[in-house]
Amino acid sequence: MSGKKRILVDETQWYQAQRAAQNLKQVRRDMPRLLDEVRRQTEADQARTRAELNERARRTEETLSGLAAHTQRLERDTGRRLREQSERLQQELRGTADRLERDTRTRLAQQRAALERELAAERDQRRRDIAGLTGRVDELAGHRERAADAARDWLADGTTMAGLIDSTLPHERHAPGRLDRLRLDLATARRNSDAGQYEAALSLAQGAYLDLSELRLDIEHRELERRLAQDAAVEALVLVETLITQNEVRPVMGPDGEPLHGVELDVDHWSEGELAQLREQTAEPLARARDDATTTAEQRELAAAAAGLEDRLGEIVDRAGMRQLASQLRVNLADSVAGTLSRIGAYELTDGEYQDEDQRRSYHAVLEHANGNRIVVQILPPPEGETGQVLRVLSYDHDTASERELRDRAEAVRHALQEAGHPTGALESEPGVPDPAAADLDRFRRPAARPRTLPADGAV
């Protein structure tokens, strides 16, 4: 004779209906203050970037004033076009952020393609500008004085441009070693000039300057690309961080789709700390995104990873919500079983408690008969990733209840659950006899807690 009966309550359809009604995976991206909060949190990053760019522009302007007139006009035109390009791309980035687009990878790829096109166009324009200024070196053949003056001008401009790159641009990050090599070319041109080989010095100095000017343009574009990728990564990760905060506590919806008064979902509690873990896992890439040492490629990876973090947030919110709903379901099932046993066997509910007084755990109810017999009903959560509940009926009969009587009692419970809209599996008998300690629910309670029965309204 087995006093332990097991029933699997299949709640798949119930879970699906509840998930759809609660819309749990849809994190609260549409809150009016969401964008303002993201902007507030990224303002310090944007202010730092603006300050650095303004300081670089000031130092560049001071340096360019030392160039020859023709190269000064050329570099100032280049600087103006760079600023206009940067402002336009920043506005485009802010525009996509205003729409809170999820496809960050596509957005960054489009920006990268735009930068590459504009870089090629800028180089073509510079070559045309330079061609109109420099003329052919062989035109100075036989004019030593003119060649000497021109060589000195290009050497001076090259030295100035090399100093500008060295002092204002992250050349070792984007073009390691190139500045040193071009400085060697300038040094060779200077030795040729000192030796009176002005035509050779002019050709080499002019070429070195043009290469330095292109190096400046290339680094400016690469740094702009890095900053755009950094801004996108920081903003995407701050968005996730903000969504985590705004989804810490969510309303619980009733059958009519309206929030239930006084009922909330504490996501971190019901997710067993998963929300706090996600916050930590978001903080680390956000710190990397804010680090200027992080490369452009790494920034793109961080921005793309933000979408995955947001998906995980939706999954965590979904699990937390379903666990809370399943907790309520366990109480409802216990109430239904208690009603059935009262009707068919005159059992009365005397005690009910969650394991360790934790609503996330199994629910236990004790019913007693006037003759001293007792029944313990245990409703256990399903294994992780599965739906449904496991219902165990433990019988403690002091008289001589037969196996048939015990089985008929459990079958009556199963049929009552099915009639109440809870599909069940076949009844199973477990070997052995029930543990007497299962009827002692005080073992779940803190010392000061008093025994309690099921709430009259079934509320958790």
Side-chain angles (χ1 to χ4, degrees):
M1 181 176 70
S2 172
K4 296 193 293 185
K5 305 300 181 186
R6 177 187 177 97
I7 302 171
L8 176 63
V9 183
D10 183 3
E11 296 290 345
T12 302
Q13 293 182 348
W14 180 88
Y15 276 96
Q16 291 173 346
Q18 291 297 325
R19 181 175 278 116
Q22 297 289 345
N23 200 18
L24 290 166
K25 279 192 176 182
Q26 180 60 44
V27 295
R28 299 161 69 185
R29 293 175 56 85
D30 56 347
M31 294 184 66
R33 295 190 301 276
L34 176 59
L35 186 58
D36 289 340
E37 179 62 19
V38 172
R39 283 174 171 163
R40 184 189 68 77
Q41 293 193 47
T42 57
E43 177 58 33
D45 301 280
Q46 296 167 357
R48 178 174 62 86
T49 297
R50 287 194 298 270
E52 291 175 0
L53 292 176
N54 290 338
E55 175 61 16
R56 182 190 299 171
R58 184 190 65 78
R59 294 171 65 183
T60 299
E61 189 63 26
E62 288 180 355
T63 302
L64 293 181
S65 63
L67 296 176
H70 58 285
T71 50
Q72 188 178 140
R73 285 194 302 273
L74 172 67
E75 299 301 339
R76 281 183 170 150
D77 285 345
T78 297
R80 174 182 51 77
R81 290 195 294 267
L82 283 170
R83 287 192 298 274
E84 291 172 352
Q85 181 189 80
S86 175
E87 290 170 1
R88 185 177 68 258
L89 290 171
Q90 289 283 1
Q91 288 175 354
E92 290 176 3
L93 182 63
R94 285 193 294 271
T96 54
D98 285 346
R99 294 190 295 274
L100 295 178
E101 290 182 357
R102 292 282 308 273
D103 198 352
T104 308
R105 187 185 297 273
T106 300
R107 173 157 47 102
L108 292 177
Q110 292 171 345
Q111 284 191 334
R112 184 179 188 181
L115 271 171
E116 289 173 350
R117 289 194 300 270
E118 294 189 18
L119 175 58
E122 181 65 28
R123 282 174 172 159
D124 290 342
Q125 181 61 46
R126 285 178 58 78
R127 291 190 182 103
R128 289 192 293 271
D129 294 342
I130 290 170
L133 292 172
T134 59
R136 294 173 58 85
V137 174
D138 56 13
E139 291 178 358
L140 299 179
H143 300 277
R144 285 177 55 80
E145 291 300 321
R146 289 176 59 197
D149 290 342
R152 282 191 291 270
D153 286 345
W154 285 108
L155 277 169
D157 286 353
T159 301
T160 299
M161 182 59 67
L164 175 65
I165 293 171
D166 195 21
S167 63
T168 66
L169 295 175
H171 57 91
E172 284 301 323
R173 174 191 296 155
H174 298 301
R178 284 180 62 185
L179 180 60
D180 291 339
R181 290 193 293 272
L182 291 175
R183 276 178 160 165
L184 288 176
D185 290 345
L186 286 175
T188 301
R190 186 169 290 104
R191 287 194 296 272
N192 288 338
S193 179
D194 292 342
Q197 299 174 3
Y198 300 124
E199 293 178 10
L202 173 58
S203 178
L204 191 55
Q206 186 184 78
Y209 174 83
L210 298 180
D211 287 343
L212 284 163
S213 185
E214 287 236 344
L215 176 60
R216 175 203 170 201
L217 177 63
D218 188 43
I219 295 172
E220 289 275 16
H221 272 87
R222 290 178 185 272
E223 180 62 6
L224 173 59
E225 186 178 14
R226 186 195 69 80
R227 287 188 179 277
L228 288 171
Q230 182 179 40
D231 288 348
V234 168
E235 193 165 72
L237 289 163
V238 167
L239 173 61
V240 174
E241 194 175 63
T242 304
L243 286 169
I244 291 172
T245 298
Q246 293 186 348
N247 281 273
E248 288 176 335
V249 177
R250 290 171 56 114
V252 175
M253 303 299 178
D256 58 357
E258 294 299 320
L260 296 175
H261 179 69
V263 183
E264 293 180 327
L265 171 64
D266 182 336
V267 174
D268 193 56
H269 172 76
W270 286 98
S271 69
E272 308 265 7
E274 286 186 275
L275 189 68
Q277 292 177 5
L278 183 64
R279 188 188 298 278
E280 293 175 1
Q281 292 163 356
T282 303
E284 188 275 333
L286 180 55
R288 286 177 53 206
R290 283 173 165 152
D291 186 352
D292 287 342
T294 303
T295 66
T296 304
E298 291 170 339
Q299 294 286 9
R300 291 197 188 101
E301 291 175 0
L302 292 171
L309 291 170
E310 186 177 333
D311 287 340
R312 286 179 56 195
L313 171 61
E315 292 168 0
I316 289 170
V317 170
D318 179 67
R319 276 196 297 275
M322 295 313 297
R323 285 172 180 170
Q324 186 189 47
L325 290 168
S327 174
Q328 176 65 62
L329 175 61
R330 288 194 286 279
V331 176
N332 295 344
L333 287 174
D335 188 43
S336 179
V337 172
T340 299
L341 292 173
S342 175
R343 186 178 68 256
I344 68 174
Y347 279 86
E348 295 296 329
L349 179 67
T350 60
D351 199 4
E353 185 59 86
Y354 285 97
Q355 178 183 339
D356 302 326
E357 296 185 301
D358 188 338
Q359 295 178 357
R360 297 169 296 184
R361 308 292 179 245
S362 55
Y363 189 83
H364 302 246
V366 177
L367 299 95
E368 293 187 0
H369 193 278
N371 64 7
N373 288 346
R374 285 189 297 176
I375 295 177
V376 175
V377 177
Q378 299 177 338
I379 300 95
L380 289 69
E384 189 64 41
E386 298 182 16
T387 59
Q389 306 284 334
V390 176
L391 172 63
R392 300 179 76 223
V393 180
L394 310 181
S395 297
Y396 302 83
D397 290 276
H398 298 293
D399 51 17
T400 56
S402 66
E403 172 65 19
R404 181 177 181 83
E405 288 175 314
L406 295 176
R407 190 170 185 84
D408 287 346
R409 178 194 296 163
E411 281 289 0
V413 169
R414 189 174 71 85
H415 287 303
L417 290 173
Q418 288 184 320
E419 290 174 0
H422 304 288
T424 66
L427 178 67
E428 299 177 16
S429 294
E430 297 180 341
V433 297
D435 182 358
D440 179 17
L441 303 193
D442 284 341
R443 62 198 171 102
F444 294 144
R445 298 187 175 103
R446 291 181 290 273
R450 298 173 59 187
R452 65 183 186 182
T453 57
L454 276 170
D457 59 358
V460 179

